[in-house]
Amino acid sequence: MRYKGAIFDMDGVLFDTERIYQQTWQEIAAERELSLADGFLQAVSGTNGAHMRHVIEEYYHVSDGAPIIEQCMLQVRQKLSVHVPMKKGVREILSFFREHGIDIAVASSSAAPQIESNLQMTGIRDYFSEIISGSEVTCGKPAPDIFLLAAKRLGHAPNTCIIFEDSENGIKAGHAAGCFTVMVPDLIAVSPAIEPLCSITCTDLDEAKEKIRPFI
């Protein structure tokens, strides 16, 4: 199989921003004198929309998670307006795909303005022909909708696209979409339950570039 499209999650894959989100969730919990139970990190990573609201309502013990989500997103935007930390190997793998004629997209649960801002601030916006945000699909990850839409926008069948993810919800979504799934763990190690859904697992994007080279 020769692949034609590369679809990247953003937080935790392109940028070292998942830590900023998790720090902010913890800060908000502390303001409410809460201690987030074990499992929150895994439950919330890679989600958006109704799924995220349910997670927030469960762990923050509120009837409506929307205000807490809005507070978190606002505080993260403020932090990222100063600096967006990029992950190792990002420019190298994007250049590799460009050199080989592979179409590239971002498919992130984050809001479109935040995606655009991060890409522009780090100078890598021009590598991406398509940007898909979580607000453009009815069901967020772990549903496959966002990756199916990304593949469609790129003009390629899902099974000819490689997706890059750091979360279990993202890998579940990519696998359900029928894509080649590359797991690059960030804050959460790969669990035995998720390993069968990963086409390959890499420590960083430099390793990922070398492992996918035979398929390009």
Side-chain angles (χ1 to χ4, degrees):
M1 170 71 77
R2 294 293 173 181
Y3 292 91
K4 301 177 180 179
I7 305 170
F8 289 83
D9 176 45
M10 183 176 72
D11 298 301
V13 176
L14 294 174
F15 307 117
D16 194 10
T17 45
E18 191 60 48
R19 298 174 195 278
I20 298 174
Y21 278 98
Q22 293 303 323
Q23 177 188 35
T24 306
W25 290 124
Q26 294 291 343
E27 290 169 355
I28 294 171
E31 290 172 4
R32 293 168 170 260
E33 298 183 343
L34 288 174
S35 178
L36 297 175
D38 292 343
F40 174 76
L41 171 58
Q42 186 167 315
V44 79
S45 295
T47 65
N48 71 305
H51 189 100
M52 178 180 279
R53 286 198 304 274
H54 293 324
V55 171
I56 297 304
E57 287 159 8
E58 176 184 353
Y59 284 86
Y60 284 80
H61 312 294
V62 294
S63 58
D64 182 8
I68 293 176
I69 294 171
E70 290 174 9
Q71 180 183 354
C72 179
M73 298 306 145
L74 173 61
Q75 293 179 201
V76 169
R77 283 198 300 272
Q78 292 170 340
K79 294 173 182 178
L80 294 180
S81 68
V82 178
H83 175 62
V84 180
M86 194 152 60
K87 299 284 279 189
K88 178 185 177 184
V90 170
R91 292 186 187 278
E92 290 79 4
I93 198 168
L94 294 178
S95 296
F96 170 77
F97 283 136
R98 174 181 278 178
E99 291 166 4
H100 289 81
I102 303 299
D103 297 313
I104 312 172
V106 171
S108 169
S109 299
S110 293
Q114 189 65 64
I115 300 171
E116 287 282 359
S117 176
N118 289 357
L119 297 178
Q120 293 287 357
M121 284 189 66
T122 53
I124 61 173
R125 175 64 180 86
D126 290 346
Y127 285 101
F128 299 90
S129 58
E130 297 292 339
I131 290 177
I132 299 90
S133 70
S135 63
E136 296 181 69
V137 294
T138 302
C139 299
K141 304 170 189 177
D145 302 34
I146 195 166
F147 290 127
L148 293 174
L149 179 58
K152 182 179 179 180
R153 292 260 187 92
L154 289 177
H156 301 308
N159 68 348
T160 65
C161 293
I162 304 171
I163 68 107
F164 295 84
E165 270 287 353
D166 67 302
S167 72
E168 294 200 355
N169 285 321
I171 288 293
K172 288 176 182 177
H175 183 267
C179 301
F180 185 94
T181 54
V182 179
M183 178 61 148
V184 189
D186 183 30
L187 300 182
I188 306 172
V190 182
S191 71
I194 211 71
E195 281 182 354
L197 307 185
C198 303
S199 302
I200 59 174
T201 301
C202 307
T203 57
D204 55 40
L205 291 176
D206 282 337
E207 182 183 354
K209 176 167 63 71
E210 296 309 313
K211 283 190 174 181
I212 64 175
R213 189 181 291 276
F215 304 105
I216 302 302

